[in-house]
Amino acid sequence: MINKVLPGLVRRIFFQNILQAKPQWDHINTKIGINTITTTGIVTDETEPQFLGIEVKFTDKLQFFDKESYNALPIFRILNSSKQEQSPEKHELSEQTLTKMYYKMLTLTVMDKILYESQRQGRISFYMTNTGEEALQIGSAAALTLEDIIYAQYREAGVLLWRGYSITDFMNQCYGNHKDTSKGRQMPVHYGSRKLNFVTISSPLTTQLPQAVGTAYALKQSKTRSCVACYFGEGAASEGDAHAAFNFAATLECPIIFICRNNGYAISTPSLEQFKGDGIAARGPAYGIRTIRVDGNDILAMYSATKAARRYCVEKGKPVLIEAMTYRMGHHSTSDDSSAYRSINEITRWKCNLPIARFRSYLESMNFWCEKREQQSNDAIKESVLRAFTDAEKELKPCWKELFTDIYHTMPVHIEKQLHSMANHVAEFQEEYPTHAFKSD
Amino acid sequence: MILSELSTRLVNTRPSFVFNVLNGYTRRRNNVRCLHFTYYTDKKSFADGQTEKMNMYQAINNGLRLVLTKDPTAVIFGEDVAFGGVFRCTVGLQKEFGKERVFNTPLCEQGIAGFGIGLATFGVTAIAEIQFADYIFPAFDQLVNEAAKVRYRSGGEFDCGKLTVRAPCGAVGHGGLYHSQSPEAYFAHTPGLKVVMPRGPSQAKGLLLSCIEEPDPCIIFEPKILYRTAIDEVPTAHYTIEIGKADVVREGDAVTLVGWGTQVHVLLEVADLVQEKLGVSCEVIDLVSILPWDAELVCKSAKKTGRVVIAHEAPLTNGFGAEIASTIQVNIFLHLEAPIQRVTGWDSPFPHVFEPFYLPDKWRCFAAVKNVLNY
């Protein structure tokens, strides 16, 4: 009942109101500004508002606020999308790092292509590509350190790739073979790595946001100079957990970078049906969170924004929100055909603005990259992906008994009984189960 | 203001409570709410050493203080915990341990649960409070899809075992729909969680400390009516109670009565009534732990008595009693002398003025015992 005191209070006052039959406007004044009533009952005229938690001035102008009275946040960008390169701002990145960033983007693209095709051939059960969003993933990841903890949604394989997750690791997870650290329990693309401080992905959208805030609080308490980076899509931002996370991060002052991938679609739902405000970025200041909107197809802008955000997070112990504007080039997943809800024209338009091409022409203009290097890298990556792919395919699945482990720290009696009962059953009906594909004990 | 109203009501119940004990029967006065049970002080010794008279909120407060002292990472958070909590469980803790360790969160249960999981994932002992178990449902997704599955889905790479969620539950006399619920069965259907409910101060402290130290996410439902009415000699030292083990609170041979939380006291009174009126003895079992639960002990007792009555405040259909009944039936079918009875709340929302007719009180339980004995 204490939890719901406010409605009760309001109700009580409302009834009082009716009983006393006072003019409504007058009554609201007395209700809210209880402390403005003197003992004699005369309302004193105060020039400064006394309301708790809000610091503003009174106005005698009756004005509602909407899009017309609000300036949309601009998009921060360094690399121009046209072929003519502007000289970018200083970004403190060496040639080596820049080419590494490009190489990782290329790797992600090639890996996506091969795994997508393999799903189409029925060799893995499911896949989600990252096409069009490589720059925002690699750019932000490059600005973080390995001590920073990552919480992701599912379209952030590039972040893992940058941190050192190997192609073999990706393949093992997608196949759910016995080398997969999560023991084949989750669907493909639900990666995770304790070693790389990348918290295992789960399907329920946005649940990772308040969790990331909790982890950020833990980091701050432990006085480590690191932060949490938490990725999510613009669709996920509509979930209640996003509201919870933004508000908790701000009020509890947690060092976390929220990185929203605004790629225009949540499966088939265009962002116009997702929100009516100025995207996700506009919500940041409303929660008291430092916010920036960035061109997510510009890897240098993503890098610089994340770098600055990280510095602020760690030094001030407060959150930052980055809304990275991009476009989902591929289908939502292998279970989706996006031509059912968007035009080929739209996709073609975005093809001219692919982040990887934009970055490549920048590198070429700086003489850091060339056609020959492109070809060689492409071939090398393709070969290593295919090798890892065929290796992963050959591996056995984990022992089926792993179905019963890790539910708890130690196996309770009732689960142990179920394990034994299944073992007896499998022994009796061995031919009916695919035991040959699974490791034995 | 509603808090004080609640306290006054609880204080008002005292005279009738004493009245109950002295006269051995309940007489309802119009202006005073009577408790539907009589508290049986815990005779069990949970730990050696010094004891102190404490009610349940004091015992919980004492337990939390021990944790904060012993474990420098431990934090307590939730709605209104900073000033001491709406049930006084966290009184004095912020003053003693600082704002970084005992703090208010915004009013958002899904946030509280998610935040706690995040803390626990990175090694912090996270003690979250949901103000009423009735308001745990916004956090259902975080608890069921996330907390319960972190270890499993990551192959053991990550876990949030250091998370404990405390939530006041159960009937309180006048709680209506949203201050009375017992949602344990919803969570009992979730592999990965541990769910417990204490019957009094001594057990509450030990169970709370166990939940906090358990390397799995735990939910402890605290029957809020016991916060002030239940008083025990509580050991002041640190002690734990094994999760997953039930307690035989009274031995008997004619009927096995199974309950948990406040209902244990109802059943103890029923056992007294049965002894007095029917001349046979009941074995009363406090299940203590809902998930995992002690099927072995319950079945052993059922085998001995051949008759079982299960009672809980939550509604009948799919209540946890159903799980117990079906398990007993599978395990000791040949030893049963009568069908297993379930005396529970009705399949209705928890009503306000009809509470005396809703609860599985001692007379409804007594009637069920009579039925199984006459079967």
Side-chain angles (χ1 to χ4, degrees):
Chain A
M1 54 211 75
I2 291 84
N3 198 357
K4 307 299 159 189
V5 153
L6 194 59
L9 187 70
V10 171
R11 202 165 47 241
R12 193 172 315 157
I13 286 160
F14 180 67
F15 284 127
Q16 234 171 41
N17 192 0
I18 291 173
L19 288 175
Q20 294 169 357
K22 274 187 175 179
Q24 208 182 348
W25 195 245
D26 179 55
H27 188 78
I28 287 168
N29 279 340
T30 46
K31 186 204 111 188
I32 302 173
I34 290 164
N35 57 351
T36 64
I37 305 171
T38 62
T39 44
T40 52
I42 300 160
V43 178
T44 54
D45 186 17
E46 294 188 16
T47 47
E48 294 297 319
Q50 303 289 313
F51 308 114
L52 301 176
I54 300 287
E55 284 172 41
V56 279
K57 296 243 181 290
F58 283 118
T59 174
D60 54 9
K61 197 165 129 200
L62 198 161
Q63 186 195 1
F64 294 97
F65 292 85
D66 52 23
K67 272 194 160 165
E68 273 71 59
S69 44
Y70 167 87
N71 292 323
L73 272 75
I75 304 171
F76 169 64
R77 152 174 108 165
I78 294 175
L79 288 178
N80 199 318
S81 66
S82 71
K83 289 285 170 195
Q84 261 139 25
E85 291 312 320
Q86 295 175 318
S87 85
E89 285 173 32
K90 272 205 295 185
H91 47 65
E92 308 151 359
L93 285 169
S94 65
E95 177 185 344
Q96 199 193 1
T97 316
L98 287 167
T99 49
K100 187 183 164 195
M101 285 163 85
Y102 182 76
Y103 191 86
K104 292 281 180 186
M105 280 173 84
L106 204 59
T107 310
L108 188 59
T109 315
V110 174
M111 189 179 80
D112 268 356
K113 215 175 259 168
I114 293 174
L115 283 177
Y116 182 81
E117 288 308 321
S118 78
Q119 195 283 334
R120 298 281 99 168
Q121 297 167 11
R123 296 164 84 168
I124 57 173
S125 62
F126 180 78
Y127 195 69
M128 296 177 111
T129 62
N130 303 279
T131 322
E133 301 180 38
E134 300 92 340
L136 89 83
Q137 295 178 16
I138 308 279
S140 57
L144 301 167
T145 73
L146 262 182
E147 281 76 55
D148 297 329
I149 291 157
I150 310 287
Y151 277 85
Q153 180 166 312
Y154 49 58
R155 213 182 295 284
E156 291 89 2
V159 178
L160 253 182
L161 191 67
W162 177 264
R163 287 171 93 85
Y165 206 65
S166 72
I167 292 171
T168 312
D169 294 330
F170 283 111
M171 301 297 154
N172 288 338
Q173 200 283 329
C174 288
Y175 270 104
N177 65 30
H178 72 97
K179 289 185 168 164
D180 168 21
T181 48
S182 62
K183 306 182 186 170
R185 289 176 183 136
Q186 290 216 88
M187 284 172 77
V189 312
H190 290 56
Y191 313 113
S193 169
R194 176 102 224 178
K195 199 177 71 205
L196 301 175
N197 272 332
F198 190 101
V199 181
T200 306
I201 290 165
S202 73
S203 306
L205 289 181
T206 332
T207 46
Q208 79 276 19
L209 266 74
Q211 295 171 16
V213 177
T215 299
Y217 191 88
L219 285 183
K220 193 176 173 181
Q221 286 290 89
S222 68
K223 308 263 189 288
T224 53
R225 289 185 60 80
S226 55
C227 69
V228 174
C230 180
Y231 294 82
F232 57 102
E234 91 287 348
S238 296
E239 291 278 3
D241 275 330
H243 160 66
F246 297 153
N247 203 20
F248 275 54
T251 54
L252 299 170
E253 303 198 336
C254 303
I256 177 171
I257 313 174
F258 293 109
I259 302 176
C260 177
R261 300 177 288 99
N262 188 343
N263 62 17
Y265 285 95
I267 307 189
S268 74
T269 308
S271 50
L272 275 172
E273 292 168 25
Q274 204 66 245
F275 50 74
K276 274 283 171 270
D278 177 29
I280 310 305
R283 298 177 200 172
Y287 286 102
I289 298 178
R290 177 176 271 215
T291 301
I292 188 169
R293 176 174 280 153
V294 182
D295 183 350
N297 289 359
D298 174 350
I299 193 164
L300 297 183
M302 264 324 278
Y303 173 84
S304 308
T306 314
K307 189 94 183 161
R310 186 185 185 277
R311 198 178 310 123
Y312 173 82
C313 267
V314 172
E315 277 168 17
K316 305 278 180 195
K318 286 178 184 171
V320 178
L321 170 62
I322 298 176
E323 182 182 24
M325 305 305 296
T326 181
Y327 184 78
R328 195 193 78 210
M329 287 300 296
H331 302 300
H332 164 69
S333 73
T334 48
S335 314
D336 171 53
D337 172 14
S338 67
S339 67
Y341 51 80
R342 62 180 182 184
S343 68
I344 301 293
N345 276 353
E346 186 183 293
I347 302 171
T348 321
R349 231 180 8 256
W350 279 94
K351 270 201 177 127
C352 315
N353 188 21
L354 279 181
I356 192 157
R358 208 203 283 188
F359 191 36
R360 184 179 160 189
S361 53
Y362 165 70
L363 290 181
E364 281 173 350
S365 74
M366 303 282 288
N367 282 327
F368 292 165
W369 201 258
C370 61
E371 183 57 38
K372 195 179 151 206
R373 214 167 155 186
E374 174 84 8
Q375 201 53 52
Q376 283 171 346
S377 309
N378 228 325
D379 293 346
I381 295 167
K382 220 173 248 171
E383 202 205 314
S384 62
V385 172
L386 284 171
R387 195 179 330 111
F389 181 78
T390 43
D391 286 351
E393 198 168 33
K394 275 184 249 159
E395 295 290 349
L396 286 172
K397 309 277 183 230
C399 174
W400 66 264
K401 288 177 183 169
E402 296 282 5
L403 145 62
F404 294 93
T405 57
D406 298 322
I407 302 168
Y408 294 96
H409 177 250
T410 44
M411 194 182 291
V413 182
H414 69 286
I415 297 178
E416 212 177 311
K417 277 186 182 160
Q418 293 171 20
L419 167 62
H420 288 317
S421 120
M422 189 60 194
N424 291 336
H425 178 78
V426 170
E428 191 182 341
F429 293 91
Q430 195 145 23
E431 295 74 41
E432 310 300 330
Y433 294 90
T435 43
H436 62 279
F438 292 77
K439 278 188 91 175
S440 52
D441 286 299
Chain B
M1 50 227 78
I2 295 182
L3 169 69
S4 60
E5 198 177 294
L6 177 76
S7 331
T8 331
R9 283 178 179 181
L10 285 173
V11 169
N12 282 346
T13 57
R14 288 267 168 79
S16 70
F17 169 62
V18 175
F19 189 73
N20 274 350
V21 175
L22 291 179
N23 293 277
Y25 70 96
T26 315
R27 205 175 79 184
R28 288 171 193 278
R29 278 191 279 157
N30 283 340
N31 59 339
V32 175
R33 260 171 224 281
C34 295
L35 293 177
H36 70 284
F37 67 99
T38 301
Y39 183 72
Y40 283 69
T41 305
D42 223 319
K43 297 278 187 310
K44 191 170 166 178
S45 160
F46 290 97
D48 300 331
Q50 216 185 337
T51 63
E52 208 176 289
K53 231 184 187 70
M54 290 183 214
N55 64 24
M56 199 166 88
Y57 86 66
Q58 288 163 335
I60 288 166
N61 184 270
N62 177 270
L64 292 173
R65 180 172 284 104
L66 287 178
V67 172
L68 288 169
T69 312
K70 194 177 135 191
D71 178 353
T73 72
V75 293
I76 296 173
F77 54 94
E79 295 155 14
D80 306 301
V81 299
F83 88 109
V86 298
F87 288 111
R88 324 303 294 144
C89 291
T90 49
V91 152
L93 298 179
Q94 189 184 63
K95 208 169 178 189
E96 206 173 323
F97 298 95
K99 282 183 176 156
E100 278 75 40
R101 302 189 61 198
V102 181
F103 51 92
N104 287 340
T105 64
L107 204 163
C108 181
E109 285 78 11
Q110 62 199 96
I112 294 171
F115 183 79
I117 295 168
L119 283 169
T121 306
F122 277 81
V124 169
T125 301
I127 307 164
E129 179 179 303
I130 300 292
Q131 204 161 64
F132 286 85
D134 310 67
Y135 306 129
I136 204 168
F137 300 112
F140 201 66
D141 184 37
Q142 284 287 352
L143 294 171
V144 170
N145 271 333
E146 297 292 318
K149 298 173 174 56
V150 173
R151 188 192 299 278
Y152 189 73
R153 72 180 180 217
S154 67
E157 286 224 310
F158 293 94
D159 70 81
C160 63
K162 289 185 162 238
L163 172 69
T164 301
V165 177
R166 296 179 40 242
C169 76
V172 70
H174 51 275
L177 278 75
Y178 307 111
H179 301 87
S180 310
Q181 293 181 62
S182 300
E184 67 272 13
Y186 290 102
F187 294 96
H189 198 55
T190 308
L193 291 180
K194 291 192 170 168
V195 183
V196 299
M197 197 190 288
R199 63 166 182 268
S202 305
Q203 205 192 33
K205 179 181 164 185
L207 271 180
L208 177 66
L209 293 174
S210 299
C211 284
I212 291 167
E213 286 169 21
E214 192 78 357
D216 289 306
C218 296
I219 305 177
I220 176 164
F221 288 115
E222 302 163 357
K224 65 181 95 60
I225 199 162
L226 301 178
Y227 277 137
R228 286 162 189 272
T229 50
I231 297 164
D232 279 351
E233 282 292 336
V234 180
T236 49
H238 178 281
Y239 62 97
T240 56
I241 295 170
E242 194 184 345
I243 293 172
K245 290 278 173 269
D247 251 2
V248 178
V249 281
R250 184 173 304 176
E251 290 192 16
D253 56 18
V255 188
T256 298
L257 309 180
V258 186
W260 49 93
T262 319
Q263 197 65 21
V264 172
H265 304 288
V266 175
L267 294 178
L268 281 167
E269 208 174 340
V270 171
D272 283 345
L273 271 175
V274 171
Q275 188 73 58
E276 182 196 319
K277 295 191 187 286
L278 308 174
V280 295
S281 70
C282 296
E283 181 141 299
V284 180
I285 294 179
D286 176 3
L287 199 65
V288 187
S289 175
I290 313 294
L291 183 69
W293 68 286
D294 195 346
E296 197 189 335
L297 186 136
V298 173
C299 288
K300 199 175 127 199
S301 169
K303 194 171 171 181
K304 179 174 79 177
T305 61
R307 294 176 175 85
V308 183
V309 175
I310 304 159
H312 55 69
E313 287 180 14
L316 177 76
T317 303
N318 268 325
F320 197 67
E323 178 62 34
I324 300 172
S326 82
T327 305
I328 295 173
Q329 176 270 129
V330 167
N331 284 288
I332 58 140
F333 182 67
L334 292 176
H335 299 271
L336 285 175
E337 306 281 351
I340 298 163
Q341 298 293 304
R342 287 185 285 153
V343 188
T344 68
W346 304 116
D347 284 343
S348 73
F350 199 110
H352 186 219
V353 299
F354 308 126
E355 182 166 323
F357 300 93
Y358 174 89
L359 283 177
D361 65 1
K362 62 179 168 183
W363 296 114
R364 280 178 58 205
C365 293
F366 177 73
V369 173
K370 226 168 82 175
N371 286 343
V372 291
L373 284 168
N374 295 333
Y375 187 80

